[in-house]
Amino acid sequence: MIGSKRVRFQPMAEGSSVTQLELFFDLVLVFAFTMVTAIAAKPTSAQNMLRAVLVLAVMWWVWIAYSWLANTVRADEGLTRIAMFVAMGGGFIAALTIPEAFQDMPGGWSGPLIFALAYLVVRVVHLAVYIMGTGDDPTLRAQVTKWGIGSIAIGTTLLIIAAMTTGTVQICLWIAAIAGDMLWTRLAGLEWRVRSARHFSERYGLIIIVALGESIVSIGIGVSGQPISWPITVGSMLGLAVSGLLWWSYFDVAALSAEHALARAEGERQVRIARDGYTYWHFPMIVGIIGLSLGLKKVLSYVSDASHHSLTDALYGIPLFALYGGVVLYLAGLVGFKYAATGHVTLSNVVAVGVLLALIAPATALPALASLGLLCFVLIVLVGWETVRNAQPRAQIRHAHGA
């Protein structure tokens, strides 16, 4: 019997890192991020932006569920491997139906219903495997069961009902499904387990990289089919620099500090860091990066398409707000993440958030390329200040052994 359990589920060991299968699983999220950016951009409207955020929230909840599962049992062993592939299938079907998650297209099956049913499959598979993978830990099994049944009953049921409706009622049901799921996760208890702090922090760092990859792809999509020119070159380098600076702000110190805090913490404190800092505070960071992706796509289309725009045209409205507001949301999420893990507030990030919010209005009078350049300049100052000002603690966290 013991040998059978070992074949079916292999517990995640302390100090283990992310498996290759989890990286493969993330490819579904890569596609989903691209689809989310597409529905926000065509056409660019407040309604489509809201729909994009709601779809992103649902896909995020799929991803975080499996990040916790893979921290309990190895994703690439036994039945968990099969479950990961089934979840990939369900997640991919959901991602394929993102363009019609709210409004069914003529012909074929009902897009909104297929999206909801695919989500249901992914969640049921996750719950079943998680419960079976708890092994000889009845406390964890009770926690997973309580959370999973309530979460599916709230989130998935409301999404299925929403698939039968349209307009404002549909949007309200989506909001209720997501808010209810997130609230229930906070109320369901703290009897979770973090078996490998290294795996957990690495897992969330990788999804940040996946999202940043979407911002770089958006640059390429923005200039697709246009001949290379100096505006395209400058705009592309500025966009890449912005993405790189956001990478720096997360991975240079913040991610390491949080990982060390997660590894040192025990019991409920460790679970709170994992739940609040990673599961919750990483979501606004992901939303911010996707918003930035939309803004970069629009800027590059402005500077590359001379038949519709000139270099003096300003970026305004939702695209400008997505460009600046996306970075604001990312930095705000980063502040919350680091505070949840270490108890420290990064004041330089708070100041940068205020500066960027203040610059949105003046940026409407600037050419699109200049607006992007101004955003890049603010981030250069932020990263430069943090690197120089915090040189000593930065060196300790990055290079001290046994921290």
Side-chain angles (χ1 to χ4, degrees), residues 72-401:
T72 301
V73 290
R74 285 189 62 91
D76 58 350
E77 295 289 344
L79 290 180
T80 314
R81 175 187 288 192
I82 305 302
M84 293 292 287
F85 279 112
V86 173
M88 282 185 69
F92 193 63
I93 293 298
L96 284 172
T97 56
I98 284 176
E100 50 179 333
F102 294 89
Q103 188 171 5
D104 187 34
M105 295 180 183
W109 293 337
S110 168
L113 183 59
I114 293 300
F115 181 91
L117 291 178
Y119 181 62
L120 173 62
V121 169
V122 174
R123 296 300 301 273
V124 169
V125 169
H126 169 265
L127 178 59
V129 174
Y130 211 159
I131 290 174
M132 290 188 292
T134 55
D136 298 324
D137 190 341
T139 303
L140 177 58
R141 186 180 305 113
Q143 170 70 84
V144 172
T145 303
K146 176 184 177 182
W147 168 80
I149 293 176
S151 181
I152 291 175
I154 296 170
T156 309
T157 301
L158 289 177
L159 282 183
I160 292 175
I161 296 172
M164 312 297 180
T165 64
T166 58
T168 303
V169 173
Q170 184 186 59
I171 293 293
C172 288
L173 285 170
W174 269 73
I175 293 173
I178 294 164
D181 215 345
M182 290 186 172
L183 180 61
W184 176 247
T185 298
R186 289 195 64 85
L187 298 176
L190 290 166
E191 299 296 338
W192 300 97
R193 304 287 184 269
V194 178
R195 291 183 174 169
S196 173
R198 177 185 177 186
H199 170 273
F200 206 84
S201 60
E202 185 180 350
R203 195 76 191 92
Y204 282 78
L206 287 170
I207 203 62
I208 291 291
I209 291 178
V210 166
L212 288 173
E214 171 60 22
S215 70
I216 295 173
V217 169
S218 294
I219 296 172
I221 293 176
V223 300
S224 178
Q226 302 296 334
I228 192 69
S229 62
W230 76 262
I232 289 178
T233 302
V234 172
S236 298
M237 291 301 97
L238 286 173
L240 183 61
V242 168
S243 296
L245 289 163
L246 295 187
W247 176 93
W248 188 308
S249 67
Y250 181 89
F251 288 100
D252 187 56
V253 172
L256 294 173
S257 300
E259 180 183 346
H260 293 171
L262 182 65
R264 289 193 297 265
E266 298 179 348
E268 287 191 2
R269 172 57 183 160
Q270 187 179 53
V271 173
R272 288 184 187 276
I273 293 174
R275 184 195 66 184
D276 298 343
Y278 289 91
T279 295
Y280 283 102
W281 278 113
H282 273 63
F283 178 60
M285 295 170 68
I286 296 297
V287 175
I289 296 173
I290 299 304
L292 169 68
S293 301
L294 174 61
L296 290 175
K297 182 178 180 181
K298 292 295 183 180
V299 171
L300 269 297
S301 67
Y302 268 46
V303 302
S304 64
D305 188 0
S307 63
H308 293 88
H309 299 283
S310 71
L311 291 179
T312 59
D313 285 349
L315 196 68
Y316 60 90
I318 291 175
L320 179 64
F321 183 79
L323 183 69
Y324 277 67
V327 175
V328 164
L329 198 55
Y330 177 89
L331 293 177
L334 187 57
V335 170
F337 163 53
K338 193 169 181 180
Y339 178 76
T342 66
H344 299 300
V345 175
T346 309
L347 291 178
S348 55
N349 282 357
V350 175
V351 171
V353 165
V355 170
L356 289 174
L357 287 174
L359 287 175
I360 292 177
T364 60
L366 297 175
L369 195 58
S371 295
L372 178 57
L374 182 60
L375 173 63
C376 186
F377 174 75
V378 172
L379 290 176
I380 289 174
V381 172
L382 169 64
V383 169
W385 170 264
E386 289 182 338
T387 303
V388 174
R389 176 72 174 175
N390 303 314
Q392 184 174 354
R394 176 178 179 272
Q396 290 176 346
I397 195 69
R398 286 186 59 79
H399 305 297
H401 298 287

Side-chain angles (χ1 to χ4, degrees), residues 21-89:
L21 182 54
E22 290 170 89
L23 300 180
F24 188 50
F25 182 87
D26 285 353
L27 295 179
V28 172
L29 268 294
V30 172
F31 178 62
F33 287 164
T34 301
M35 299 298 282
V36 167
T37 304
I39 66 170
K42 292 183 179 180
T44 302
S45 66
Q47 183 184 57
N48 279 346
M49 288 292 289
L50 176 58
R51 286 175 171 177
V53 171
L54 292 176
V55 170
L56 186 58
V58 170
M59 298 306 295
W60 174 252
W61 224 243
V62 168
W63 186 87
I64 66 100
Y66 282 85
S67 72
W68 281 84
L69 171 63
N71 194 262
T72 301
V73 290
R74 285 189 62 91
D76 58 350
E77 295 289 344
L79 290 180
T80 314
R81 175 187 288 192
I82 305 302
M84 293 292 287
F85 279 112
V86 173
M88 282 185 69

